Coordinates of all heavy atoms in Angstrom, one line a residue:
M29 N -135.5 -130.0 43.0 CA -134.9 -131.2 43.7 C -136.0 -132.2 44.0 O -137.1 -131.8 44.4 CB -134.2 -130.7 44.9 CG -133.4 -131.8 45.6 SD -132.4 -131.2 47.0 CE -130.9 -130.9 46.2
N30 N -135.7 -133.5 43.9 CA -136.7 -134.4 44.2 C -136.8 -134.7 45.8 O -135.9 -134.3 46.5 CB -136.5 -135.7 43.4 CG -135.3 -136.6 43.9 OD1 -135.0 -136.7 45.1 ND2 -134.6 -137.2 43.0
L31 N -137.9 -135.3 46.2 CA -138.2 -135.5 47.6 C -137.1 -136.3 48.3 O -136.8 -136.1 49.5 CB -139.6 -136.1 47.8 CG -140.7 -135.2 47.3 CD1 -142.0 -135.9 47.5 CD2 -140.8 -133.9 48.2
I32 N -136.7 -137.4 47.7 CA -135.7 -138.3 48.3 C -134.4 -137.5 48.5 O -133.8 -137.6 49.6 CB -135.4 -139.5 47.5 CG1 -136.7 -140.4 47.4 CG2 -134.3 -140.4 48.0 CD1 -136.7 -141.5 46.4
A33 N -134.0 -136.8 47.5 CA -132.7 -136.0 47.6 C -132.8 -135.0 48.7 O -131.9 -134.8 49.5 CB -132.4 -135.3 46.3
E34 N -133.9 -134.3 48.8 CA -134.1 -133.3 49.8 C -134.1 -133.9 51.2 O -133.5 -133.4 52.2 CB -135.5 -132.6 49.6 CG -135.5 -131.6 48.5 CD -136.9 -131.0 48.2 OE1 -137.7 -131.0 49.1 OE2 -137.1 -130.6 47.1
F35 N -134.8 -135.0 51.3 CA -134.9 -135.8 52.6 C -133.5 -136.2 53.1 O -133.2 -135.9 54.3 CB -135.8 -137.0 52.5 CG -135.9 -137.8 53.7 CD1 -136.7 -137.4 54.8 CD2 -135.2 -139.0 53.8 CE1 -136.8 -138.2 55.9 CE2 -135.3 -139.8 55.0 CZ -136.1 -139.4 56.0
V36 N -132.8 -136.9 52.2 CA -131.5 -137.4 52.6 C -130.5 -136.3 53.0 O -129.9 -136.3 54.0 CB -130.9 -138.3 51.5 CG1 -129.4 -138.7 51.8 CG2 -131.7 -139.6 51.4
K37 N -130.5 -135.3 52.2 CA -129.5 -134.2 52.4 C -129.9 -133.4 53.7 O -129.0 -133.2 54.6 CB -129.6 -133.2 51.3 CG -128.5 -132.1 51.4 CD -128.5 -131.3 50.1 CE -127.3 -130.3 50.1 NZ -127.2 -129.6 48.9
K38 N -131.2 -133.2 54.0 CA -131.6 -132.5 55.2 C -131.3 -133.3 56.4 O -130.7 -132.8 57.4 CB -133.1 -132.2 55.1 CG -133.6 -131.5 56.3 CD -135.1 -131.3 56.2 CE -135.7 -130.6 57.5 NZ -137.1 -130.4 57.4
R39 N -131.6 -134.6 56.4 CA -131.4 -135.5 57.5 C -129.9 -135.7 57.8 O -129.4 -135.7 59.0 CB -132.1 -136.8 57.4 CG -133.6 -136.7 57.3 CD -134.2 -136.3 58.6 NE -134.1 -137.2 59.7 CZ -134.9 -138.1 60.1 NH1 -136.0 -138.3 59.4 NH2 -134.6 -138.9 61.1
R40 N -129.1 -135.8 56.7 CA -127.6 -135.9 56.9 C -127.1 -134.7 57.6 O -126.3 -134.8 58.5 CB -127.0 -136.1 55.5 CG -125.4 -136.2 55.6 CD -124.8 -136.3 54.3 NE -125.0 -135.2 53.4 CZ -124.5 -134.0 53.4 NH1 -123.6 -133.7 54.4 NH2 -124.8 -133.1 52.5
K41 N -127.5 -133.5 57.1 CA -127.0 -132.3 57.7 C -127.5 -132.1 59.2 O -126.7 -131.6 60.0 CB -127.4 -131.1 56.9 CG -126.6 -131.0 55.6 CD -127.0 -129.8 54.8 CE -126.1 -129.6 53.6 NZ -126.2 -128.3 53.0
Q42 N -128.7 -132.5 59.4 CA -129.2 -132.5 60.8 C -128.3 -133.4 61.7 O -128.2 -133.1 62.9 CB -130.6 -132.9 60.9 CG -131.6 -131.9 60.4 CD -133.0 -132.4 60.3 OE1 -133.3 -133.6 60.4 NE2 -134.0 -131.4 60.2
A43 N -127.8 -134.5 61.2 CA -127.0 -135.4 62.0 C -125.6 -134.8 62.1 O -124.7 -135.4 62.8 CB -127.0 -136.7 61.3
G44 N -125.3 -133.7 61.4 CA -123.9 -133.1 61.5 C -122.9 -133.9 60.7 O -121.7 -133.9 61.1
L45 N -123.3 -134.7 59.7 CA -122.3 -135.5 59.0 C -122.0 -135.0 57.6 O -122.9 -134.4 56.9 CB -122.9 -136.9 58.8 CG -123.2 -137.7 60.1 CD1 -124.0 -138.9 59.7 CD2 -122.0 -138.0 60.8
T46 N -120.8 -135.1 57.2 CA -120.4 -134.8 55.8 C -120.9 -136.0 54.9 O -121.3 -137.0 55.4 CB -118.9 -134.7 55.6 OG1 -118.3 -136.0 55.9 CG2 -118.3 -133.7 56.5
Q47 N -120.9 -135.8 53.6 CA -121.3 -136.9 52.7 C -120.4 -138.1 52.9 O -120.9 -139.2 53.0 CB -121.3 -136.4 51.3 CG -122.4 -135.5 50.9 CD -122.3 -135.1 49.4 OE1 -121.2 -135.0 48.8 NE2 -123.4 -134.8 48.9
E48 N -119.1 -137.9 53.1 CA -118.2 -139.0 53.3 C -118.5 -139.7 54.6 O -118.5 -141.0 54.6 CB -116.8 -138.4 53.3 CG -115.7 -139.5 53.2 CD -114.3 -139.0 53.1 OE1 -113.9 -138.2 53.9 OE2 -113.7 -139.3 52.0
E49 N -118.7 -139.0 55.7 CA -119.0 -139.6 57.0 C -120.3 -140.4 56.9 O -120.4 -141.5 57.4 CB -119.1 -138.6 58.1 CG -117.8 -137.9 58.4 CD -118.0 -136.6 59.2 OE1 -119.1 -136.0 59.2 OE2 -117.0 -136.3 59.9
F50 N -121.3 -139.8 56.3 CA -122.5 -140.5 56.1 C -122.4 -141.8 55.3 O -123.0 -142.8 55.7 CB -123.6 -139.5 55.6 CG -125.0 -140.2 55.5 CD1 -125.6 -140.5 56.6 CD2 -125.6 -140.4 54.3 CE1 -126.9 -141.1 56.6 CE2 -126.8 -140.9 54.2 CZ -127.5 -141.3 55.4
A51 N -121.7 -141.7 54.2 CA -121.5 -142.9 53.4 C -120.9 -144.0 54.2 O -121.3 -145.2 54.1 CB -120.7 -142.5 52.2
M52 N -119.9 -143.7 55.0 CA -119.2 -144.7 55.8 C -120.2 -145.3 56.8 O -120.3 -146.5 57.0 CB -118.0 -144.1 56.5 CG -116.9 -143.8 55.5 SD -115.4 -143.3 56.4 CE -114.9 -144.7 57.2
K53 N -121.0 -144.5 57.5 CA -121.9 -145.0 58.5 C -123.0 -145.8 57.8 O -123.5 -146.8 58.4 CB -122.5 -143.8 59.3 CG -121.6 -143.2 60.3 CD -122.3 -142.2 61.1 CE -121.4 -141.6 62.1 NZ -121.3 -142.4 63.3
A54 N -123.5 -145.4 56.6 CA -124.5 -146.1 55.9 C -124.0 -147.4 55.2 O -124.8 -148.2 54.8 CB -125.2 -145.2 54.9
G55 N -122.7 -147.5 55.1 CA -122.2 -148.7 54.4 C -122.3 -148.7 52.9 O -122.4 -149.7 52.3
V56 N -122.3 -147.5 52.3 CA -122.4 -147.3 50.9 C -121.2 -146.5 50.4 O -120.6 -145.8 51.2 CB -123.7 -146.7 50.4 CG1 -124.9 -147.6 50.8 CG2 -123.9 -145.3 51.0
A57 N -121.0 -146.5 49.1 CA -119.9 -145.7 48.5 C -120.3 -144.2 48.5 O -121.5 -143.9 48.5 CB -119.7 -146.1 47.1
L58 N -119.4 -143.3 48.6 CA -119.6 -141.9 48.6 C -120.4 -141.5 47.4 O -121.3 -140.6 47.4 CB -118.3 -141.1 48.7 CG -118.3 -139.6 48.6 CD1 -119.2 -139.0 49.7 CD2 -116.9 -139.1 48.7
T59 N -120.1 -142.1 46.2 CA -120.8 -141.8 45.0 C -122.3 -142.0 45.1 O -123.1 -141.3 44.5 CB -120.3 -142.6 43.8 OG1 -120.3 -144.0 44.1 CG2 -118.9 -142.1 43.5
V60 N -122.7 -143.0 45.9 CA -124.2 -143.3 46.1 C -124.8 -142.1 46.8 O -125.9 -141.7 46.4 CB -124.4 -144.6 46.9 CG1 -125.8 -144.8 47.3 CG2 -123.9 -145.8 46.1
I61 N -124.2 -141.6 47.9 CA -124.7 -140.5 48.6 C -124.8 -139.3 47.7 O -125.8 -138.6 47.6 CB -123.9 -140.1 49.8 CG1 -123.8 -141.3 50.8 CG2 -124.4 -138.9 50.5 CD1 -125.2 -141.8 51.3
R62 N -123.8 -139.0 46.9 CA -123.7 -137.9 46.0 C -124.8 -138.0 45.0 O -125.5 -137.0 44.7 CB -122.4 -137.7 45.4 CG -121.3 -137.2 46.3 CD -120.0 -137.1 45.6 NE -119.1 -136.5 46.6 CZ -117.8 -136.5 46.5 NH1 -117.2 -137.2 45.4 NH2 -117.0 -136.0 47.4
K63 N -125.0 -139.2 44.4 CA -126.0 -139.4 43.4 C -127.4 -139.2 44.0 O -128.3 -138.5 43.3 CB -125.9 -140.7 42.7 CG -124.8 -140.9 41.8 CD -124.7 -142.3 41.2 CE -123.6 -142.4 40.2 NZ -123.6 -143.8 39.6
I64 N -127.7 -139.7 45.2 CA -129.0 -139.5 45.8 C -129.2 -138.0 46.0 O -130.3 -137.5 45.7 CB -129.1 -140.3 47.1 CG1 -129.1 -141.8 46.9 CG2 -130.3 -139.9 47.9 CD1 -128.9 -142.6 48.1
E65 N -128.3 -137.3 46.6 CA -128.5 -135.9 46.9 C -128.6 -135.0 45.7 O -129.1 -133.9 45.8 CB -127.4 -135.4 47.9 CG -127.5 -136.0 49.3 CD -126.6 -135.4 50.3 OE1 -125.9 -134.4 50.0 OE2 -126.6 -135.8 51.4
Q66 N -128.0 -135.5 44.6 CA -128.2 -134.7 43.3 C -129.4 -135.1 42.6 O -129.7 -134.5 41.5 CB -126.9 -135.0 42.4 CG -125.6 -134.5 43.0 CD -124.4 -134.9 42.2 OE1 -124.6 -135.7 41.2 NE2 -123.3 -134.5 42.6
G67 N -130.2 -136.0 43.1 CA -131.5 -136.4 42.5 C -131.3 -137.2 41.2 O -132.2 -137.2 40.3
K68 N -130.2 -137.9 41.1 CA -130.0 -138.8 39.9 C -131.1 -139.9 39.9 O -131.5 -140.3 40.9 CB -128.6 -139.4 39.9 CG -127.5 -138.4 40.0 CD -127.3 -137.7 38.7 CE -126.1 -136.8 38.8 NZ -125.8 -136.1 37.6
D69 N -131.5 -140.3 38.7 CA -132.5 -141.3 38.6 C -132.1 -142.6 38.2 O -132.9 -143.5 37.9 CB -133.6 -140.8 37.6 CG -133.1 -140.5 36.2 OD1 -131.9 -140.7 36.0 OD2 -133.9 -140.1 35.4
N70 N -130.8 -142.9 38.2 CA -130.3 -144.2 37.8 C -129.6 -144.9 39.0 O -128.5 -145.4 38.9 CB -129.3 -144.1 36.7 CG -128.1 -143.2 37.0 OD1 -128.1 -142.4 38.0 ND2 -127.0 -143.3 36.3
L71 N -130.4 -145.0 40.1 CA -129.9 -145.6 41.3 C -130.5 -146.9 41.6 O -131.7 -147.2 41.2 CB -130.2 -144.7 42.5 CG -129.5 -143.3 42.5 CD1 -130.2 -142.4 43.6 CD2 -128.1 -143.4 42.8
S72 N -129.8 -147.7 42.3 CA -130.3 -149.0 42.7 C -131.3 -148.8 43.9 O -130.9 -148.1 44.9 CB -129.1 -149.9 43.1 OG -129.5 -151.0 44.0
L73 N -132.4 -149.4 43.8 CA -133.4 -149.3 44.9 C -132.8 -149.8 46.2 O -133.0 -149.3 47.3 CB -134.7 -150.0 44.6 CG -135.8 -149.9 45.6 CD1 -136.2 -148.4 45.9 CD2 -137.0 -150.6 45.1
S74 N -132.1 -150.9 46.1 CA -131.5 -151.5 47.3 C -130.5 -150.5 48.0 O -130.4 -150.5 49.2 CB -130.8 -152.8 47.0 OG -129.7 -152.7 46.2
K75 N -129.7 -149.8 47.2 CA -128.8 -148.8 47.7 C -129.5 -147.7 48.4 O -129.1 -147.2 49.5 CB -127.8 -148.3 46.7 CG -126.9 -149.3 46.1 CD -125.8 -149.7 47.1 CE -124.8 -150.6 46.4 NZ -123.9 -151.2 47.3
V76 N -130.6 -147.2 47.7 CA -131.3 -146.1 48.3 C -132.0 -146.5 49.6 O -131.9 -145.8 50.6 CB -132.4 -145.6 47.3 CG1 -133.3 -144.6 48.0 CG2 -131.8 -145.0 46.1
N77 N -132.5 -147.8 49.7 CA -133.1 -148.3 50.9 C -132.1 -148.5 52.0 O -132.3 -148.2 53.2 CB -133.9 -149.5 50.6 CG -135.3 -149.3 50.2 OD1 -135.9 -148.2 50.6 ND2 -135.9 -150.2 49.5
H78 N -130.9 -148.8 51.6 CA -129.8 -149.0 52.6 C -129.5 -147.6 53.3 O -129.4 -147.6 54.5 CB -128.5 -149.5 51.9 CG -127.6 -150.2 52.7 ND1 -127.7 -151.4 53.2 CD2 -126.4 -149.7 53.3 CE1 -126.7 -151.8 54.0 NE2 -125.9 -150.8 54.0
V79 N -129.5 -146.6 52.5 CA -129.3 -145.2 53.0 C -130.5 -144.8 53.8 O -130.4 -144.3 54.9 CB -129.1 -144.2 51.9 CG1 -129.1 -142.8 52.4 CG2 -127.7 -144.5 51.2
Q80 N -131.7 -145.0 53.3 CA -133.0 -144.6 54.0 C -133.1 -145.3 55.4 O -133.7 -144.7 56.3 CB -134.2 -144.9 53.2 CG -134.3 -144.1 51.9 CD -134.7 -142.7 52.1 OE1 -133.9 -141.9 52.8 NE2 -135.8 -142.3 51.7
K81 N -132.6 -146.5 55.5 CA -132.7 -147.3 56.8 C -131.9 -146.5 57.9 O -132.3 -146.7 59.1 CB -132.2 -148.7 56.6 CG -133.1 -149.6 55.9 CD -132.5 -151.0 55.7 CE -133.5 -151.8 54.9 NZ -132.9 -153.2 54.7
M82 N -131.0 -145.7 57.5 CA -130.3 -144.9 58.5 C -131.2 -144.0 59.3 O -131.0 -143.6 60.4 CB -129.2 -144.1 57.9 CG -128.0 -144.9 57.4 SD -126.9 -145.5 58.7 CE -126.3 -144.0 59.4
F83 N -132.3 -143.6 58.6 CA -133.3 -142.7 59.2 C -134.6 -143.5 59.6 O -135.6 -142.9 59.9 CB -133.7 -141.6 58.2 CG -132.5 -140.9 57.7 CD1 -132.1 -140.9 56.4 CD2 -131.6 -140.2 58.6 CE1 -131.0 -140.2 55.9 CE2 -130.5 -139.5 58.1 CZ -130.2 -139.5 56.8
G84 N -134.6 -144.8 59.5 CA -135.8 -145.6 59.9 C -136.8 -145.6 58.8 O -138.0 -145.8 59.1
H85 N -136.4 -145.4 57.6 CA -137.4 -145.4 56.4 C -136.9 -146.4 55.3 O -135.7 -146.8 55.3 CB -137.4 -144.0 55.8 CG -138.0 -143.0 56.7 ND1 -139.3 -142.7 56.8 CD2 -137.4 -142.2 57.5 CE1 -139.5 -141.8 57.6 NE2 -138.4 -141.4 58.1
I86 N -137.8 -146.8 54.5 CA -137.5 -147.6 53.3 C -138.5 -147.1 52.2 O -139.5 -146.5 52.5 CB -137.7 -149.1 53.4 CG1 -139.1 -149.5 53.8 CG2 -136.6 -149.6 54.4 CD1 -139.3 -151.0 53.6
L87 N -138.1 -147.3 51.0 CA -139.0 -146.9 49.8 C -139.7 -148.2 49.4 O -139.2 -149.3 49.5 CB -138.1 -146.4 48.7 CG -137.3 -145.2 48.9 CD1 -136.5 -144.9 47.6 CD2 -138.2 -144.0 49.3
G88 N -141.0 -148.0 49.0 CA -141.8 -149.1 48.5 C -142.9 -148.5 47.7 O -143.1 -147.3 47.5
P89 N -143.7 -149.4 47.1 CA -144.8 -149.0 46.3 C -145.9 -148.3 47.1 O -146.2 -148.7 48.3 CB -145.3 -150.3 45.7 CG -144.9 -151.4 46.6 CD -143.6 -150.9 47.3
I90 N -146.6 -147.4 46.5 CA -147.7 -146.7 47.1 C -148.9 -146.8 46.1 O -148.6 -146.8 44.9 CB -147.5 -145.3 47.6 CG1 -147.0 -144.4 46.4 CG2 -146.4 -145.3 48.7 CD1 -147.0 -143.0 46.7
V91 N -150.1 -146.7 46.6 CA -151.2 -146.6 45.7 C -151.4 -145.2 45.2 O -151.5 -144.3 46.0 CB -152.5 -147.1 46.4 CG1 -153.7 -147.0 45.5 CG2 -152.3 -148.6 46.9
D92 N -151.4 -145.0 43.9 CA -151.7 -143.7 43.3 C -153.2 -143.5 43.1 O -153.7 -144.2 42.3 CB -150.9 -143.6 42.0 CG -151.0 -142.2 41.4 OD1 -151.3 -141.2 42.2 OD2 -150.7 -142.0 40.2
K93 N -153.8 -142.6 43.8 CA -155.2 -142.5 43.6 C -155.5 -141.3 42.8 O -154.9 -140.3 42.7 CB -155.8 -142.3 45.0 CG -155.7 -143.6 45.8 CD -156.4 -143.4 47.2 CE -156.3 -144.7 48.0 NZ -156.9 -144.6 49.2

């Protein structure tokens, strides 16, 4: 499983939310949450960041050393 999928699923469960409840709170479609948690690679960065903002995070470029 990829790191984003693990992070979102773990934090959602810690918050005691179902995927449907979390999607509503995050303001995204349920399919977005499902795709993220399944580790799909065809996601919109803006949608992923919308979800990540629920936990005070965003995705961005990092320097690969």
Side-chain angles (χ1 to χ4, degrees):
M29 185 178 265
N30 73 37
L31 294 175
I32 295 170
E34 290 175 21
F35 176 81
V36 170
K37 188 172 187 175
K38 180 180 177 182
R39 296 294 295 267
R40 174 184 61 78
K41 286 185 174 192
Q42 286 175 340
L45 299 171
T46 65
Q47 287 180 331
E48 188 173 62
E49 292 167 335
F50 183 63
M52 289 184 69
K53 286 186 178 281
V56 298
L58 176 58
T59 56
V60 172
I61 301 301
R62 288 182 175 159
K63 286 180 178 181
I64 290 171
E65 289 190 5
Q66 292 171 359
K68 302 288 184 182
D69 59 3
N70 59 342
L71 295 167
S72 159
L73 182 59
S74 64
K75 294 287 185 190
V76 173
N77 273 333
H78 204 75
V79 170
Q80 294 287 67
K81 286 180 184 178
M82 290 287 294
F83 307 119
H85 295 271
I86 60 167
L87 298 178
I90 58 169
V91 177
D92 186 20
K93 295 182 179 182

